[in-house]
Amino acid sequence: MTAHEDATKDGPSRGASAPPNRAALLTVACLGQFMVLLDSTIVGAALPDMQQRLHTQLAGLQWIVDAYVLLVAMLLLSGGVFADRFGRKRVFLAGVAVFTAASVLCSLAPSIEGLIAGRVLQGVGAAALSPASLALLAAAYPVAQERVKAIGLWAGLSGIGLAAGPLAGGILVEAFGWPAIFLVNVPIGGVLLLIGLRVLAESRNPSAPAIDIPGTVLSVLGVGALTYGLIEGGSRGWTSPVILGSFAAALVILAVFVVVEGRVATPMLPLRLFRQQLFTVSNTAMVVVGFALMGSSFFFSQFFVNVQGSSILRAGLQTLPVTLAMVIVSPYAGRFAARYGFRIVVVIGLTLAGLGLLALGFVHADTGYGNVWWRLAVVGTGFALTMSPLTGAAIQAVSPQEGGLASGVSSTTRQIGAVLGVAVLGAIVHTRESGGASFEAGLNSAFVAAGAVTLAGAMFTCLWLVKSQPAEDTALRTQPTDPQTGTTTS
């Protein structure tokens, strides 16, 4: 999630205010991203309570997660273009307002359908808020070295939300029930709107590209149809007309998307970039990362609560090794890639994550936590080692002017993998249960499948990721990392 244009080319809006208080601007940008990252992990802690109180099945929980991630994935690139074209302050505050209002709707949802609708709106808000927050910083810090430091603080401080999510979710759900995890966004959003209106200065890029509306709509519909088939196939039957129709619709719509993107002047996803092997391989591996990480994380709290009988608060604490490992290790991943090259760091990371997921496939109801936490930590460490180098590889494959776009595409492919991971691994669990297996056995199969896909990704990356020249690769030495996406934030 990076600015699409060099901030030095930006001009202030007509009638813009005086140069902003940059410390206040940095605080607002960090708090906005903190809210988004907190939401990405706090929801997982509340899934068992949602299942019980909303009387929903596994498919309902999948939609609670995927409805949000799908919209973020498909609107992320457009959100950055919107911010550049129509004003970073305007889009940021609009994103905050939508996200906050959607959080209220989620907390008041009387049914699973209402909650899913609120999550869709949250995804729209997040897709505007996140890239706009980074674009505001890029415009406010035109000097490259100052910008790197500011974005480093943005990534580090907002990344606290990742680690805080499971613990905060456990406390809030235990005390007040699942609606509280959404209400916590209301005071944060209110403060952001009040302060942002006063301290943020408007800026935009007059030469920003036009919005690719057809591509955006087709991508949402195509991936949405595919997700529907994967989530609902377990309950409706994989050969039912509705499911076969959704898969067919997804195939047709995505084929049309490819044709449209190849013909429009300013596509949201420039297909020409995929002619570069380094770009294609790194983004393919990023899909694997999103698939395995988000797909497996979806089940962590459910395992501790529904299989091992933990309380929701305790389960929140028990899942912390994954997020803590990611927050701690992620800042070092770029440095390792700069020293040793992209390929070796990514292959090691994917191998560690794959082995950790395979090990999780053999935990049971009576497995002590002392024999579980290290498996979670290995998974978090492995994925933390992969994301920043993969984005760095994608950026290296394109021209310097397209570095922001390459980083945005990398974040998008990770989110697409996340959508598919929740859908596919959930389908595995549902299919096992339909065949008479226990939920525990279904989880074991899902973790093993995620590990196998990750190890296959490690082998694919080892064979096809072009070896970089670490001695000359100085960019990753200075580029900080977004702790959620693993993207270098140049």
Side-chain angles (χ1 to χ4, degrees), residues 97-112:
V98 170
F99 192 91
T100 305
S103 297
V104 175
L105 291 177
C106 287
S107 70
L108 298 175
S111 64
I112 186 67

PDB file of all heavy atoms in Angstrom, residues 97-112:
ATOM      1  N   ALA A  97     -14.542   7.674   7.928  1.00  0.00           N
ATOM      2  CA  ALA A  97     -15.974   7.810   8.208  1.00  0.00           C
ATOM      3  C   ALA A  97     -16.731   6.533   7.834  1.00  0.00           C
ATOM      4  O   ALA A  97     -17.577   6.046   8.601  1.00  0.00           O
ATOM      5  CB  ALA A  97     -16.541   9.010   7.454  1.00  0.00           C
ATOM      6  N   VAL A  98     -16.434   5.982   6.659  1.00  0.00           N
ATOM      7  CA  VAL A  98     -17.109   4.760   6.218  1.00  0.00           C
ATOM      8  C   VAL A  98     -16.754   3.596   7.138  1.00  0.00           C
ATOM      9  O   VAL A  98     -17.623   2.812   7.539  1.00  0.00           O
ATOM     10  CB  VAL A  98     -16.740   4.439   4.757  1.00  0.00           C
ATOM     11  CG1 VAL A  98     -17.239   3.054   4.362  1.00  0.00           C
ATOM     12  CG2 VAL A  98     -17.317   5.486   3.820  1.00  0.00           C
ATOM     13  N   PHE A  99     -15.468   3.464   7.468  1.00  0.00           N
ATOM     14  CA  PHE A  99     -15.023   2.367   8.328  1.00  0.00           C
ATOM     15  C   PHE A  99     -15.680   2.454   9.706  1.00  0.00           C
ATOM     16  O   PHE A  99     -16.135   1.447  10.264  1.00  0.00           O
ATOM     17  CB  PHE A  99     -13.499   2.401   8.463  1.00  0.00           C
ATOM     18  CG  PHE A  99     -12.906   1.179   9.084  1.00  0.00           C
ATOM     19  CD1 PHE A  99     -12.496   0.109   8.306  1.00  0.00           C
ATOM     20  CD2 PHE A  99     -12.745   1.083  10.461  1.00  0.00           C
ATOM     21  CE1 PHE A  99     -11.949  -1.035   8.877  1.00  0.00           C
ATOM     22  CE2 PHE A  99     -12.191  -0.048  11.036  1.00  0.00           C
ATOM     23  CZ  PHE A  99     -11.804  -1.108  10.245  1.00  0.00           C
ATOM     24  N   THR A 100     -15.747   3.665  10.258  1.00  0.00           N
ATOM     25  CA  THR A 100     -16.339   3.844  11.590  1.00  0.00           C
ATOM     26  C   THR A 100     -17.838   3.568  11.569  1.00  0.00           C
ATOM     27  O   THR A 100     -18.369   2.868  12.442  1.00  0.00           O
ATOM     28  CB  THR A 100     -16.077   5.270  12.099  1.00  0.00           C
ATOM     29  OG1 THR A 100     -14.662   5.536  12.065  1.00  0.00           O
ATOM     30  CG2 THR A 100     -16.577   5.441  13.515  1.00  0.00           C
ATOM     31  N   ALA A 101     -18.533   4.126  10.572  1.00  0.00           N
ATOM     32  CA  ALA A 101     -19.971   3.887  10.470  1.00  0.00           C
ATOM     33  C   ALA A 101     -20.266   2.404  10.252  1.00  0.00           C
ATOM     34  O   ALA A 101     -21.211   1.851  10.834  1.00  0.00           O
ATOM     35  CB  ALA A 101     -20.554   4.716   9.319  1.00  0.00           C
ATOM     36  N   ALA A 102     -19.449   1.756   9.423  1.00  0.00           N
ATOM     37  CA  ALA A 102     -19.635   0.324   9.181  1.00  0.00           C
ATOM     38  C   ALA A 102     -19.398  -0.474  10.452  1.00  0.00           C
ATOM     39  O   ALA A 102     -20.061  -1.497  10.692  1.00  0.00           O
ATOM     40  CB  ALA A 102     -18.695  -0.140   8.076  1.00  0.00           C
ATOM     41  N   SER A 103     -18.465  -0.037  11.280  1.00  0.00           N
ATOM     42  CA  SER A 103     -18.209  -0.727  12.547  1.00  0.00           C
ATOM     43  C   SER A 103     -19.435  -0.662  13.458  1.00  0.00           C
ATOM     44  O   SER A 103     -19.772  -1.637  14.141  1.00  0.00           O
ATOM     45  CB  SER A 103     -17.000  -0.108  13.256  1.00  0.00           C
ATOM     46  OG  SER A 103     -15.817  -0.265  12.476  1.00  0.00           O
ATOM     47  N   VAL A 104     -20.095   0.489  13.465  1.00  0.00           N
ATOM     48  CA  VAL A 104     -21.327   0.616  14.250  1.00  0.00           C
ATOM     49  C   VAL A 104     -22.394  -0.336  13.715  1.00  0.00           C
ATOM     50  O   VAL A 104     -23.074  -1.035  14.482  1.00  0.00           O
ATOM     51  CB  VAL A 104     -21.842   2.066  14.227  1.00  0.00           C
ATOM     52  CG1 VAL A 104     -23.193   2.172  14.932  1.00  0.00           C
ATOM     53  CG2 VAL A 104     -20.839   3.006  14.889  1.00  0.00           C
ATOM     54  N   LEU A 105     -22.528  -0.391  12.395  1.00  0.00           N
ATOM     55  CA  LEU A 105     -23.513  -1.298  11.791  1.00  0.00           C
ATOM     56  C   LEU A 105     -23.200  -2.750  12.141  1.00  0.00           C
ATOM     57  O   LEU A 105     -24.110  -3.540  12.420  1.00  0.00           O
ATOM     58  CB  LEU A 105     -23.527  -1.109  10.271  1.00  0.00           C
ATOM     59  CG  LEU A 105     -24.090   0.225   9.761  1.00  0.00           C
ATOM     60  CD1 LEU A 105     -23.981   0.289   8.243  1.00  0.00           C
ATOM     61  CD2 LEU A 105     -25.538   0.397  10.191  1.00  0.00           C
ATOM     62  N   CYS A 106     -21.915  -3.101  12.122  1.00  0.00           N
ATOM     63  CA  CYS A 106     -21.528  -4.469  12.484  1.00  0.00           C
ATOM     64  C   CYS A 106     -21.933  -4.780  13.921  1.00  0.00           C
ATOM     65  O   CYS A 106     -22.465  -5.862  14.212  1.00  0.00           O
ATOM     66  CB  CYS A 106     -20.016  -4.648  12.315  1.00  0.00           C
ATOM     67  SG  CYS A 106     -19.433  -4.741  10.611  1.00  0.00           S
ATOM     68  N   SER A 107     -21.681  -3.845  14.825  1.00  0.00           N
ATOM     69  CA  SER A 107     -21.974  -4.093  16.240  1.00  0.00           C
ATOM     70  C   SER A 107     -23.468  -4.226  16.496  1.00  0.00           C
ATOM     71  O   SER A 107     -23.879  -4.891  17.453  1.00  0.00           O
ATOM     72  CB  SER A 107     -21.399  -2.970  17.107  1.00  0.00           C
ATOM     73  OG  SER A 107     -22.108  -1.762  16.903  1.00  0.00           O
ATOM     74  N   LEU A 108     -24.292  -3.581  15.666  1.00  0.00           N
ATOM     75  CA  LEU A 108     -25.740  -3.612  15.854  1.00  0.00           C
ATOM     76  C   LEU A 108     -26.421  -4.684  15.014  1.00  0.00           C
ATOM     77  O   LEU A 108     -27.649  -4.828  15.073  1.00  0.00           O
ATOM     78  CB  LEU A 108     -26.339  -2.248  15.489  1.00  0.00           C
ATOM     79  CG  LEU A 108     -25.880  -1.054  16.329  1.00  0.00           C
ATOM     80  CD1 LEU A 108     -26.469   0.232  15.779  1.00  0.00           C
ATOM     81  CD2 LEU A 108     -26.240  -1.235  17.792  1.00  0.00           C
ATOM     82  N   ALA A 109     -25.639  -5.430  14.232  1.00  0.00           N
ATOM     83  CA  ALA A 109     -26.230  -6.403  13.306  1.00  0.00           C
ATOM     84  C   ALA A 109     -27.039  -7.450  14.058  1.00  0.00           C
ATOM     85  O   ALA A 109     -26.515  -8.117  14.957  1.00  0.00           O
ATOM     86  CB  ALA A 109     -25.127  -7.073  12.492  1.00  0.00           C
ATOM     87  N   PRO A 110     -28.314  -7.618  13.701  1.00  0.00           N
ATOM     88  CA  PRO A 110     -29.147  -8.605  14.388  1.00  0.00           C
ATOM     89  C   PRO A 110     -28.997 -10.014  13.837  1.00  0.00           C
ATOM     90  O   PRO A 110     -29.502 -10.972  14.413  1.00  0.00           O
ATOM     91  CB  PRO A 110     -30.567  -8.084  14.133  1.00  0.00           C
ATOM     92  CG  PRO A 110     -30.462  -7.416  12.796  1.00  0.00           C
ATOM     93  CD  PRO A 110     -29.077  -6.832  12.720  1.00  0.00           C
ATOM     94  N   SER A 111     -28.318 -10.130  12.688  1.00  0.00           N
ATOM     95  CA  SER A 111     -28.215 -11.421  12.027  1.00  0.00           C
ATOM     96  C   SER A 111     -26.875 -11.519  11.320  1.00  0.00           C
ATOM     97  O   SER A 111     -26.152 -10.527  11.166  1.00  0.00           O
ATOM     98  CB  SER A 111     -29.345 -11.598  11.002  1.00  0.00           C
ATOM     99  OG  SER A 111     -29.216 -10.623   9.963  1.00  0.00           O
ATOM    100  N   ILE A 112     -26.565 -12.723  10.857  1.00  0.00           N
ATOM    101  CA  ILE A 112     -25.310 -12.935  10.136  1.00  0.00           C
ATOM    102  C   ILE A 112     -25.292 -12.141   8.837  1.00  0.00           C
ATOM    103  O   ILE A 112     -24.255 -11.607   8.433  1.00  0.00           O
ATOM    104  CB  ILE A 112     -25.098 -14.450   9.866  1.00  0.00           C
ATOM    105  CG1 ILE A 112     -23.722 -14.699   9.241  1.00  0.00           C
ATOM    106  CG2 ILE A 112     -26.200 -15.013   8.992  1.00  0.00           C
ATOM    107  CD1 ILE A 112     -22.580 -14.418  10.161  1.00  0.00           C
TER     108      ILE A 112
END
